[in-house]
């Protein structure tokens, strides 16, 4: 299970699921054209992805 945690306050988010198929979203990293990385949660069945959650004004980290 991918768990996102805020490095600032320690808040964490556990399981997130796809609204279309119910599959647990998996952590992934996209590398943009400029070389910067964006953390996302992706449906393993290919239904899409969402940007990682934010807390305290920053992306929450996922340690997988």
């Amino acid at each position: 299970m991918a768990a996102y945690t805020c490095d600032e306050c320690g808040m964490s988010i556990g399981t997130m699921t796809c609204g279309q198929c119910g599959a647990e979203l998996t952590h992934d990293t996209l590398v943009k054209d400029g070389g910067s990385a964006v953390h996302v949660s992706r449906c393993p069945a290919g239904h899409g992805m969402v940007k990682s959650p934010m807390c305290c004004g920053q992306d929450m980290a996922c340690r997988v």
Side-chain angles (χ1 to χ4, degrees), residues 28-40 51 59:
D28 199 1
T29 303
L30 294 178
V31 178
K32 295 167 56 175
D33 290 339
S36 61
V38 177
H39 296 287
V40 296
K51 186 183 170 305
D59 283 339

Side-chain angles (χ1 to χ4, degrees), residues 11-58:
M11 165 68 179
S12 65
I13 295 175
T15 303
M16 293 184 281
T17 59
C18 174
Q20 289 184 316
C21 68
E24 184 176 326
L25 302 182
T26 57
H27 176 72
D28 199 1
T29 303
L30 294 178
V31 178
K32 295 167 56 175
D33 290 339
S36 61
V38 177
H39 296 287
V40 296
S41 293
R42 180 185 305 270
C43 173
H47 291 124
M49 66 183 135
V50 295
K51 186 183 170 305
S52 68
M54 293 185 73
C55 187
C56 296
Q58 62 188 11

